[in-house]
Amino acid sequence: MGTHNQIERIIDIALEEDVARGDRTTELIIPANMGGSAAIIAREDAVVAGGEIARIALLKVDQSLEVKMEIQDGNPAKAGEVVMVITGRVTSILKAERVILNFLSHLSGVATLTARYVEKVKDLGVKIGDTRKTLPGLRLLEKYAVYAAGGQNNRPDLASGILIKDNHLVAMAAKGISISEGIAKAKAGANGMKVEIEVQNLEQLKQAVDGKPDIIMLDNMSLDDIREAVKTVPTTISLEASGGITLENVREVAEAGVDLISVGAITHSARGVNFSLDFVTGRPAAQE
């Protein structure tokens, strides 16, 4: 399934769970031909993401709505700034309100947290990357928010890259397959994809280096061990640090000399950003 179709499906599911059976309150008290304009306002400083998703959702509810983005995805918004203006049928805007605010809140939360990590290391030439630790069903949109905020997208699914992880190593050891042998097997069938292996200590690191993978992930390793890895691993092998990364220690990890730092928290633990939808004008709309 293509990216566009995946996005459409995510939006359809969100609309289905909220308005598939209608909006009893709005339908009972708001005239169907009433028109107006509403502004979506950031209630706190944030990096915006999800505006385009909100636009698609609005037009799925009512193709006649006019949607104007005042702040594009990936750009900062100050508290009180207008992010989007929607003009058209009031009933349609109200039906879409919670869905579009949910998308904006969550995706802007991901973008805002990503931007904070990126800012911490921006002068060090180190990339901040995401992981597969995403909310079920929302991975594509969360990775879009990471990218919009200046982060790097790592593999979107298990078929998009080769990463030998800790449980692979356990299973390999049970069958008598060494780390270097496992890397060789992966490289033989990689079909052009890079081969990455996760290690948790310096002994595993040494064995991994012997297998000459493209990337070694240093998982939950101490700063001293990360520094030792940077000194001993050939520059032909990229180094990724992951596990236990916080805003407080990310710069120290970057200064140790790794190439990439992957942070699961930017997707699975991002706090939602507060947005509100406020009607700003009222005007008659043409009778249908």
Side-chain angles (χ1 to χ4, degrees):
M1 179 179 289
T3 298
H4 180 74
N5 288 338
Q6 289 183 57
I7 292 172
E8 293 271 347
R9 185 172 65 170
I10 293 170
I11 295 171
D12 286 342
I13 291 171
L15 289 171
E16 180 179 348
E17 69 182 2
D18 210 36
V19 296
R21 299 196 305 136
D23 177 353
R24 290 292 178 84
T25 309
T26 297
E27 291 161 1
L28 286 172
I29 64 176
I30 304 298
N33 66 342
M34 182 181 179
S37 291
I40 293 181
I41 300 168
R43 294 303 179 189
E44 57 185 305
D45 294 353
V47 174
V48 175
E52 179 61 18
I53 305 304
R55 186 190 69 81
I56 295 170
L58 283 160
L59 296 180
K60 279 180 174 287
V61 171
D62 185 345
Q63 289 188 348
S64 71
L65 292 174
E66 297 176 13
V67 183
K68 181 182 180 184
M69 287 297 301
E70 300 291 347
I71 298 178
Q72 299 295 322
D73 287 349
N75 291 322
K78 293 291 186 183
E81 282 194 292
V82 173
V83 173
M84 176 187 293
V85 176
I86 311 156
T87 303
R89 293 186 183 90
V90 169
T91 53
S92 299
I93 297 171
L94 289 172
K95 287 177 181 179
E97 176 182 3
R98 178 43 49 198
V99 170
I100 64 175
L101 289 178
N102 284 349
F103 278 129
L104 278 166
S105 174
H106 178 58
L107 297 180
S108 295
V110 171
T112 300
L113 185 55
T114 300
R116 292 181 67 191
Y117 275 93
V118 170
E119 177 67 21
K120 289 278 189 179
V121 303
K122 67 178 183 179
D123 58 327
L124 299 175
V126 178
K127 297 289 186 181
I128 297 294
D130 55 25
T131 70
R132 287 170 38 251
K133 295 178 181 178
T134 54
L135 299 184
L138 293 179
R139 178 174 296 167
L140 183 65
L141 299 188
E142 290 178 348
K143 283 180 173 287
Y144 162 72
V146 168
Y147 179 78
Q152 175 173 303
N153 293 146
N154 291 331
R155 59 178 185 162
D157 58 32
L158 290 171
S160 299
I162 297 172
L163 173 53
I164 303 169
K165 293 177 63 66
D166 54 348
N167 283 328
H168 293 115
L169 297 181
V170 172
M172 285 161 49
K175 294 295 289 184
I177 302 171
S178 70
I179 288 177
S180 59
E181 288 173 335
I183 294 170
K185 284 176 175 290
K187 290 174 72 173
N191 292 323
M193 287 190 288
K194 291 184 177 181
V195 173
E196 180 172 6
I197 184 167
E198 173 186 286
V199 301
Q200 297 177 317
N201 54 59
L202 294 178
E203 178 55 36
Q204 287 183 339
L205 176 72
K206 182 178 182 300
Q207 296 175 54
V209 169
D210 290 341
K212 298 180 181 179
D214 298 291
I215 309 164
I216 296 176
M217 178 192 292
L218 311 174
D219 182 48
N220 281 292
M221 290 175 65
S222 68
L223 270 172
D224 285 343
D225 283 353
I226 291 173
R227 294 186 184 109
E228 182 65 23
V230 170
K231 285 193 297 185
T232 58
V233 173
T235 56
T236 52
I237 300 175
S238 296
L239 286 176
E240 173 182 352
S242 186
I245 307 296
T246 67
L247 285 168
E248 288 68 37
N249 68 14
V250 67
R251 186 168 179 86
E252 281 186 304
V253 174
E255 288 173 337
V258 296
D259 303 293
L260 170 69
I261 300 173
S262 53
V263 187
I266 58 178
T267 50
H268 70 62
S269 295
R271 180 183 64 81
V273 172
N274 186 11
F275 292 93
S276 65
L277 184 148
D278 299 334
F279 280 95
V280 293
T281 63
R283 60 171 175 78
Q287 292 279 353
E288 287 292 313

